[in-house]
Every structure is written in structure tokens, then in C-alpha cells.
Amino acid sequence: MVTMTDVARTAGVSVSTVSHVVNGTRRVAAATRDKVHQAMGLLGYEHNPIARSLAAGSNRTIGLALTAASNPYWVDLVQGIDGEATRAGLNLIIVDTRDDARHEAVAVANLLAHHIEGLVIAPSDDWRHLTLPLLRDHPVPYVIVDRIDPDLRADQVGVENEASTAAVIDHLISAGHTRIGMIAGISGLATSAERLRGFRNAHHHADLAIDPCLIVEGASTSEGGRRAALALLDLPEPPTAVFAANNDMTIGALAAFKAAGIRVPRDLAIVHFDDFAWADLFSPGLTAIAQPSAAIGARAVQLLVRRMTDREAPPQTIRLPAEIMHRESCGCPPRT
């Protein structure tokens, strides 16, 4: 069965762009819209599934609310959600939250106006004040993806952040590093907090003190990662290794190191969260924590279908394991 992901790949656009064209949720440039329609025709993707489902008396449509960042993790997550939704016979509308609580609330309200039957959401840092009350006022089944809230009784699915972060930091400590810098994600996000706890736990278990100056927030962006890396290099005693807590910050940090003439891993080791397809093509290859992002997305839809079928089912929180991809950037030969 043809999915929006297939159309996006053929048209050379994002899945969210295809969603906007199919569902009319945002204006799209005429040239881009034409490319999407051509790809839909070529692949045999069916037009206007919402109108058909409404005519049949059932709106088999779910919403997806998350940041439309270019980070490969989100791309793979959306593909997993899109594919599983298609297999379940569900239409999908995607909105961009921009990782901003106010914009997120507006985006979710727009989804609710389309009479969605369920929602998958990767919540912003302050979603409890605006978006969560909105969902409680409109009792639509929802599943939280990626950013798990342990204090909330809801279906949730994400990766095991703490243990995997602790494992990669322990690897650096066992290699002799005692001053390890961390470029942390957006403060307030569950993933940022969990990865920070994993960083701290590894130091605690090794009976190694952490210099507070070694933890710098990188805003989960490439530019933030670049600035954070420069701040670490400017310390009177810079770190000998750095852990970047997501893809984008890793790219920014590498740019900063290159501009400063830092050779990885000879002068400084680096490891990061979120493996991506070309990480092993860098020189040196990047040691990274790989998330099963497509599987996380698919599992989120499965939980949502369960919740749509049985509103009284006990909520589930699912953590999928991550895998450390050992390459050269940590300062040791890659494992085969």
C-alpha cells in the first residue's frame, strides 16, 4: 500500500508537505503542490481520503503533532508512524509544533477541528499548561511519543535514554577521560532530563565528580551545539571528551571543533545521541547511540489503535532499547 512517505520520497519533499497537500491544512506553493500531485498519480496514492471516510460515516483519521525539524531522527519517526497508520487503514494529518507550547496548542486545536479520532504527540517542554488541558477538554485518545512524562497516566513510547547515555559515558570513563563535557538539549524536555541523568549516573557510579562548567545547554540545534562547544573549549581546563545529546548539536559541535583546529579524536573525543545514516562516513566515524526511531513511531500508532478501541485499557509506557554504534570518534577502534 502506498504511503505519504512514498509520495514524499518520490516528490522530493517532506512527509508534512504531502500531508498539507492531501489534507488542505496549510497553503503549499503551486510548484511544490504540483510535484506532490504528480507523485501521487505516479504511485497511485488515493486522493482526499478524509472526504471518502466522512461520506462512509467514519473519519478514520489520526493526527501527528511534533516539531518538523530536519533531524534524521524525526524523519525516521514520522516514516514509522505513517507506515503503521497506513497498515491500520488510518489517514494521517501532520502538524508542526515548532517545539513551542503556544504554537503547539494552536496546531493541536486545528487537528481537533478536523475531527481526528486519535493523536500522536511529541510534546513541547511546556505542553502541560496549554495543550494537555485542551486534550482533556476534547477527550480524543492520544499517545505521547519520544518525550515520556513519568507523572502522567497516558500511553507513551520512547527509547531508554538514561541507561544508554550512562553506558556511552562509562565507555569514555573506562578509556581514561575524567573531564567529559556535555552539550545538553532544551531544558524542560523529558529526553534532555533523562540524558542528563544518565550522564550524571555514569559519573556517580565511577565515583567521579562533575565540574558544573562542563554541562552546557545547546538548545537542541546545530547553532546551539556550535556555541556550546566553543564555550567548552574556552574553559580554563577544557574537556578531553564531549557528549552531544542529539544529532543537530553534534553537527554544530563538529563545526566548532574544525574551526578551532581541534582534531577528533586525537585532541578531543566526541560521542553523541541519535545515530544517523552517514555517521560512519565522517572521518573519523562517529560513535553514537542509535534509536529504533521507526519502531518507536510504529509502536505509538499500535498503542493509539488499542486506545481508540478500548478507552478503559490501562495506560502503557514502553521503552525500546537503544544501541551504541562504536566507531572511531571516541578514540578507540570501531567494534566489528
Side-chain angles (χ1 to χ4, degrees), residues 65 95 103-113 116 119 121 131 134-135:
V95 295
H103 192 87
E104 174 186 74
V106 172
V108 170
N110 287 336
L111 284 175
L112 294 173
I116 57 172
L119 173 69
I121 182 170
T131 306
L134 183 64
L135 291 176

Side-chain angles (χ1 to χ4, degrees), residues 34-325:
D34 289 344
K35 287 197 299 183
V36 172
H37 283 306
Q38 289 171 8
M40 291 167 64
L42 179 65
L43 298 174
Y45 186 86
E46 297 182 357
H47 249 89
N48 201 8
I50 296 177
R52 286 195 310 276
S53 62
L54 287 174
S58 173
N59 179 10
R60 296 286 293 166
T61 303
I62 63 172
L64 171 60
L66 79 174
T67 177
S70 59
N71 189 311
Y73 167 74
W74 294 112
V75 175
D76 291 344
L77 183 77
V78 171
Q79 289 180 351
I81 290 170
D82 179 32
E84 188 63 26
T86 299
R87 280 187 287 274
L90 297 168
N91 308 310
L92 181 65
I93 302 177
I94 305 172
V95 295
D96 181 7
T97 66
R98 302 181 190 173
D99 259 342
D100 175 81
R102 290 186 179 277
H103 192 87
E104 174 186 74
V106 172
V108 170
N110 287 336
L111 284 175
L112 294 173
H114 278 78
H115 307 290
I116 57 172
E117 292 189 0
L119 173 69
V120 177
I121 182 170
S124 65
D125 58 341
D126 199 28
W127 86 298
R128 276 179 168 266
H129 291 95
L130 294 173
T131 306
L132 186 56
L134 183 64
L135 291 176
R136 287 171 172 165
D137 289 341
H138 299 77
V140 171
Y142 67 91
V143 172
I144 295 173
V145 68
D146 184 66
R147 297 160 177 178
I148 291 176
D149 185 338
D151 298 323
L152 187 66
R153 282 184 53 80
D155 294 309
Q156 309 185 66
V157 58
V159 76
E160 177 47 68
N161 287 294
E162 287 188 41
S164 54
T165 298
V168 79
I169 300 303
D170 181 66
H171 177 66
L172 291 175
I173 293 173
S174 66
H177 295 283
T178 58
R179 285 187 63 79
I180 304 171
M182 177 174 180
I183 301 177
I186 297 174
S187 177
L189 291 183
T191 47
S192 299
E194 290 170 3
R195 292 167 195 177
L196 179 57
R197 282 199 296 270
F199 180 84
R200 294 186 182 280
N201 288 343
H203 284 77
H204 175 73
H205 293 153
D207 198 23
L208 187 63
I210 300 176
D211 181 348
C213 295
L214 289 173
I215 301 174
V216 183
E217 184 175 326
S220 297
T221 66
S222 177
E223 176 58 22
R226 187 188 69 82
R227 291 196 303 265
L230 291 176
L232 290 172
L233 293 179
D234 284 342
L235 291 174
E237 188 180 353
T240 60
V242 168
F243 167 64
N246 84 350
N247 267 336
D248 288 335
M249 294 188 295
T250 303
I251 300 302
L254 289 172
F257 297 155
K258 181 178 180 180
I262 300 295
R263 296 164 297 178
V264 176
R266 183 179 302 178
D267 301 325
L268 183 147
I270 183 169
V271 299
H272 69 96
F273 215 105
D274 292 336
D275 192 30
F276 50 93
W278 56 92
D280 59 343
L281 300 180
F282 278 71
S283 183
L286 301 177
T287 294
I289 298 171
Q291 298 195 64
S293 46
I296 291 171
R299 195 72 184 93
V301 175
Q302 292 165 7
L303 284 179
L304 184 60
V305 170
R306 169 181 172 269
R307 177 60 53 194
M308 290 163 60
T309 303
D310 183 3
R311 296 291 188 97
E312 302 303 319
Q316 292 187 21
T317 295
I318 297 173
R319 296 273 192 179
L320 298 183
E323 180 182 4
I324 298 177
M325 310 302 292

Side-chain angles (χ1 to χ4, degrees), residues 171 175 265 269 285 287 326-335:
H171 177 66
T287 294
H326 288 275
R327 303 187 181 103
E328 298 94 341
S329 69
C330 57
C332 58
R335 297 179 184 177

Side-chain angles (χ1 to χ4, degrees), residues 16-18 20-21 26-34 36:
S16 59
T17 297
V18 176
H20 291 310
V21 172
R26 193 185 73 188
R27 292 190 63 178
V28 176
T32 302
R33 188 172 61 249
D34 289 344
V36 172

